[in-house]
């Protein structure tokens, strides 16, 4: 007779985040004031939805808190993209001798 085998506890799978369809682009007039979840904002931002959610948790970026959930407005997404955009290097002009 053998001893019973220990089993690992079952892990709960998180449901996939819900992403609404037909969202206005953040750069549009309507989109600047529209609120997006971090996973919806990832479509236009240089980060994944999980990374944006982590940045919000660490308070690294501006966000909107409605008492339960965290959101980003279109203006905040545009600012986030501009903040992490690398500008091309311009060579300095030659000094006159």
């Amino acid at each position: 007779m053998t001893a019973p085998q220990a089993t690992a506890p079952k892990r709960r799978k998180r449901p996939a985040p819900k992403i609404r369809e037909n969202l206005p682009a953040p750069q549009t007039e309507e989109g600047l004031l529209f609120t997006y979840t971090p996973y919806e904002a990832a479509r236009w931002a240089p980060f994944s939805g999980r990374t944006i959610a982590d940045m919000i948790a660490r308070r690294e970026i501006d966000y909107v808190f409605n008492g339960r959930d965290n959101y980003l407005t279109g203006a905040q997404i545009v600012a986030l993209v501009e903040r992490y955009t690398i500008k091309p290097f311009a060579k300095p002009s030659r000094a006159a001798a």
Side-chain angles (χ1 to χ4, degrees):
M1 188 158 154
T2 59
Q5 294 289 324
T7 58
K10 292 185 179 181
R11 291 187 179 184
R12 278 183 44 194
K13 289 188 178 181
R14 292 184 185 177
K18 294 184 181 180
I19 298 177
R20 298 172 285 181
E21 304 221 358
N22 301 324
L23 296 172
Q27 302 87 349
T28 62
E29 188 174 324
E30 179 187 359
L32 287 175
L33 297 177
F34 192 84
T35 55
Y36 303 85
T37 65
Y39 292 93
E40 293 168 345
R43 182 174 178 186
W44 292 282
F47 303 107
S48 69
R50 178 60 192 205
T51 301
I52 294 173
D54 289 343
M55 291 171 81
I56 289 172
R58 291 189 303 262
R59 308 232 190 299
E60 294 177 2
I61 59 175
D62 294 334
Y63 65 97
V64 176
F65 180 66
N66 72 350
R68 187 181 107 178
D69 297 316
N70 298 320
Y71 292 99
L72 291 140
T73 64
Q76 290 169 332
I77 295 170
V78 170
L80 178 69
V81 170
E82 289 176 0
R83 177 179 171 187
Y84 287 96
T85 299
I86 298 173
K87 308 284 191 251
F89 177 73
K91 292 182 181 179
S93 59
R94 274 190 145 178

